Amino acid sequence: MADTLTLKSYNDIPTVDFAQNSPEASSYDMFRQWRAATPLVKVPIGFGHMVLALRARTVEQVVGSETRQLETESKILQGVFDGPIYDFIAQVMLFANGEVHQRRRQPVARTFAFKLMEAMRPKAAAIAAELIQERLGKGPFDYVNEFAAQIPARIIADILGIPRSDLPVFMQWISDTAEAIGFIDVARRPQIEKSLTEFSAYVDKLLADRRANPRGDFLSEYVAATAASGDMTEGEIRAQVVGLILAGSDTTRNAMCMTLFQLLQHPEQWRALVADPDGLKKKASEEGLRYEPVVSGIPRVAIEDMAVEGYLIPGGAMLAVSLLSVLRDPEVYANPESFDIHRTDQQRWHLAFGAGAHRCAGEALARVELEEVLAAIARLAPNTRIVGQAPRLNPGAIRTVDQMRVEFA
Ligand code: HEM
């Protein structure tokens, strides 16, 4: 419990309406100004406020033991009290805390491991090469959906042993059910629930198949790990698989868009990558993730009164690390407002993947996909260009690109 007497009050935290300041480019200006002036701001949300932590040094505390992850309350506030969406949110690791979270995360962490993901490198490179060759020299195409969305879907389908013929329906389920995680459009609820139900039944079949015929792949190892721990319900076992698929789709797709866009905006850096794809692919993807992070923030709830940077945050208050701000904190990054794949101050634990107990469980796979895609484009289509309008980012928990037409050449 914080010593309340010496602390500045919650009401003293400046209130800023960042939401009114899209497009995003101007948000970065606002973050720069506010971050220099204060470690915390309040932004309006619903009927109240959320505190945004702007500086990198507060990250560990904001996601640490004094706060908790939101559970089902965000759905309840949207009027979703039951049904497939509610059940999914109630069972997935991302929206759980403490022992329940650990119980759900452990079998995934054990099996969805670095070694398996590294083994996917040649696969990711081959899938990228195939999609590039099909479009090379054939004029502009919808890069977001025809290319960037295909990579994570095809890779995870491969990891799960899903046949190519099921890809279209699988991708439709991903697209519909990803909406279950964010703010739900009431009119879309029936479609989201229908897709989530079908998707869950499909995952159940995959799980049943691996139980009957284990074959040493990720799902076989995963069902074995859940059986060994013995304390997960069938719904939880399934929800982690659906959760992995969803958490890895929009995030990776948008990172692939934004990083390529930034590289092409900086022709000398693009040329450097073209000259040495394998040497620079890691640096290029790290800088893309820093400069335009796909996950904009990490929201939490204060468990009890807590002191953050000299302010009293009352128990129950909402607070979030602003990844848009901390990834441009000059205390960590030199010239943070410039895109520079050669920078030497990237953090070992890249903040774009979060921090603490919920730090991204798919980071190794995301890195493999991003790096291999960038290297493949640089190698096979060095004269690639953006055609038409520059992509714009929709603000939100996961920042999505509105459109991006590209010509591979
Ligand atoms: C560029 C791509 C990605 C980014 C930027 C990203 C970012 C993040 C962040 C910031 C979190 C923490 C959220 C929080 O604490 O509230 C997270 C969690 C998570 N991510 Fe990722 N992610 C990416 C790709 C992936 C991939 C490819 C997968 C799996 C296939 C994945 C699976 C997960 C899971 C399961 C969690 C929940 C972990 C937990 O609650 O313990 N992510 N991700």
Side-chain angles (χ1 to χ4, degrees):
M1 175 83 86
D3 170 10
T4 53
L5 290 177
T6 55
L7 295 172
K8 284 184 264 185
S9 139
Y10 179 80
N11 294 330
D12 294 336
I13 302 173
T15 301
V16 187
D17 196 349
F18 278 104
Q20 285 176 9
N21 285 279
S22 14
E24 297 277 326
S26 59
S27 304
Y28 282 122
D29 276 346
M30 293 201 50
F31 279 124
R32 185 171 45 75
Q33 287 161 23
W34 282 104
R35 187 177 49 236
T38 169
L40 306 174
V41 292
K42 285 201 299 263
V43 291
I45 167 174
F47 296 113
H49 287 95
M50 179 187 269
V51 174
L52 285 188
L54 304 179
R55 297 179 184 165
R57 64 167 182 246
T58 55
V59 172
E60 295 296 331
Q61 186 190 5
V62 173
V63 301
S65 59
E66 294 169 281
T67 65
R68 66 172 180 84
Q69 172 65 299
L70 289 158
E71 295 182 358
T72 50
E73 54 263 63
S74 61
K75 290 292 157 270
I76 290 169
L77 283 171
Q78 291 173 51
V80 178
F81 306 103
D82 53 16
I85 296 176
Y86 180 88
D87 291 345
F88 171 64
I89 298 296
Q91 290 173 328
V92 77
M93 69 170 97
L94 181 59
F95 299 109
N97 286 294
E99 183 275 324
V100 176
H101 170 253
Q102 262 177 27
R103 182 161 57 78
R104 294 175 184 172
R105 181 166 165 129
Q106 231 168 35
V108 173
R110 208 174 300 150
T111 49
F112 205 72
F114 182 75
K115 225 169 89 192
L116 171 74
M117 299 310 132
E118 277 300 307
M120 293 308 290
R121 248 182 218 285
K123 193 78 180 186
I127 291 174
E130 186 188 330
L131 288 167
I132 295 166
Q133 302 285 10
E134 283 168 14
R135 289 163 182 80
L136 195 60
K138 299 216 175 109
F141 64 93
D142 171 357
Y143 176 85
V144 183
N145 295 301
E146 284 182 36
F147 185 82
Q150 299 289 328
I151 309 263
R154 289 185 187 206
I155 301 247
I156 196 78
D158 237 80
I159 292 175
L160 300 176
I162 292 172
R164 274 265 170 114
S165 52
D166 286 353
L167 257 181
V169 65
F170 179 67
M171 290 196 65
Q172 187 57 49
W173 289 332
I174 292 178
S175 155
D176 286 341
T177 54
E179 294 174 43
I181 295 178
F183 191 82
I184 294 164
D185 172 355
V186 183
R188 290 271 305 147
R189 185 170 169 188
Q191 180 58 39
I192 300 170
E193 302 211 314
K194 180 172 172 287
S195 278
L196 189 50
T197 305
E198 291 170 3
F199 196 1
S200 302
Y202 188 87
V203 170
D204 280 344
K205 271 208 295 204
L206 295 174
L207 292 167
D209 173 52
R210 293 320 194 284
R211 284 189 182 117
N213 313 295
R215 63 188 77 151
D217 63 352
F218 159 66
L219 267 189
S220 307
E221 302 278 317
Y222 172 70
V223 291
T226 58
S229 72
D231 50 7
M232 273 168 86
T233 66
E234 205 48 38
E236 285 179 318
I237 294 172
R238 175 205 314 129
Q240 308 327 310
V241 178
V242 175
L244 267 180
I245 299 166
L246 298 186
S249 298
D250 281 5
T251 45
T252 316
R253 178 191 68 183
N254 288 295
M256 270 169 204
C257 296
M258 292 176 209
T259 309
L260 180 66
F261 175 64
Q262 285 307 327
L263 283 164
L264 295 176
Q265 293 293 100
H266 297 84
E268 70 300 343
Q269 297 190 44
W270 175 248
R271 280 196 297 274
L273 181 68
V274 166
D276 184 11
D278 283 324
L280 286 175
K281 63 189 177 186
K282 182 167 192 286
K283 281 175 166 283
S285 62
E286 301 231 299
E287 182 62 349
L289 289 166
R290 183 196 74 84
Y291 192 76
E292 289 288 16
V294 268
V295 178
S296 59
I298 309 177
R300 295 290 185 262
V301 181
I303 297 171
E304 291 187 350
D305 289 359
M306 64 188 281
V308 182
E309 297 277 309
Y311 286 94
L312 174 70
I313 310 292
M318 294 275 302
L319 69 170
V321 169
S322 165
L323 291 177
L324 297 185
S325 178
V326 302
L327 284 158
R328 293 193 183 199
D329 184 346
E331 277 184 20
V332 179
Y333 306 100
N335 299 320
E337 306 295 334
S338 58
F339 178 86
D340 178 7
I341 63 171
H342 302 291
R343 66 171 57 249
T344 53
D345 46 19
Q346 297 289 1
Q347 300 297 287
R348 180 155 176 266
W349 298 98
H350 201 308
L351 288 173
F353 292 107
H358 288 274
R359 185 180 169 82
C360 184
E363 172 181 351
L365 181 61
R367 285 174 181 272
V368 164
E369 293 180 6
L370 279 170
E371 289 168 19
E372 294 313 316
V373 160
L374 291 176
I377 301 175
R379 201 175 290 124
L380 301 171
N383 299 313
T384 286
R385 62 184 192 98
I386 305 284
V387 179
Q389 263 189 323
R392 280 172 53 120
L393 288 161
N394 302 313
I398 294 184
R399 303 162 79 215
T400 53
V401 182
D402 62 344
Q403 58 75 40
M404 184 164 154
R405 290 188 75 72
V406 163
E407 183 168 7
F408 283 151

